[in-house]
Amino acid sequence: TETYVFDMIDAISQNRKGDALSLLHDLLNSGEVWQMLLALICSSYEVLLIVSEMKEDGFSLSEICKKTGIHEYRIKIASGLSGRYSTEQLRRILSTCFATDKNIKSGLLEYRLAVEMLIASI
């Protein structure tokens, strides 16, 4: 599942929203729960933000791994993707992720539509 989420985030970051939505639907239709998918999306963008900020501060990838305790593979993936966004964009995306979670849990939006809207907004 995590690999598919990385693929989905890669598709989002390359502005291939159709591919990202297709992956989302495949995951949901295969029985994955929206809470886990949204959490993985949020977590991935948190790591992107951390890597982006730490790279701006001059840290190497190995230093980022040591200081954060995040697995080297996730840091390497995030490093490649983080260059596609500014730090401010990543903060905005993360804020939208958290708002999406709140909107679903408060009953404002149905989960499938909310996650689709999140992907479309990135």
Side-chain angles (χ1 to χ4, degrees):
T1 299
E2 204 167 315
T3 302
Y4 287 114
V5 172
F6 284 135
D7 291 343
M8 185 170 52
I9 290 171
D10 187 47
I12 293 167
S13 70
Q14 292 182 26
N15 206 28
R16 295 185 350 254
K17 304 294 170 80
D19 292 342
L21 290 169
S22 179
L23 284 166
L24 171 68
H25 294 152
D26 289 347
L27 287 163
L28 290 172
N29 292 336
S30 72
E32 295 297 338
V33 293
W34 69 266
Q35 293 96 331
M36 188 189 70
L37 295 175
L38 182 58
L40 285 171
I41 292 169
C42 291
S43 173
S44 294
Y45 277 98
E46 285 175 328
V47 172
L48 285 172
L49 179 59
I50 289 167
V51 169
S52 177
E53 289 176 336
M54 292 185 80
K55 282 172 59 177
E56 284 177 2
D57 290 341
F59 290 96
S60 70
L61 294 184
S62 62
E63 290 172 320
I64 295 171
C65 289
K66 287 177 191 171
K67 291 196 178 286
T68 63
I70 299 170
H71 192 275
E72 178 184 352
Y73 177 74
R74 287 192 77 193
I75 296 295
K76 188 184 291 186
I77 296 265
S79 178
L81 294 176
S82 68
R84 298 177 183 171
Y85 301 98
S86 70
T87 301
E88 189 53 42
Q89 285 174 310
L90 290 170
R91 287 186 185 121
R92 181 190 56 77
I93 290 167
L94 208 46
S95 178
T96 304
C97 286
F98 298 143
T100 299
D101 185 55
K102 180 182 175 188
N103 289 339
I104 294 169
K105 289 178 179 173
S106 68
L108 187 62
L109 291 171
E110 185 268 335
Y111 74 88
R112 187 179 289 259
L113 175 62
V115 178
E116 288 172 348
M117 289 172 54
L118 170 64
I119 290 171
S121 74
I122 297 175

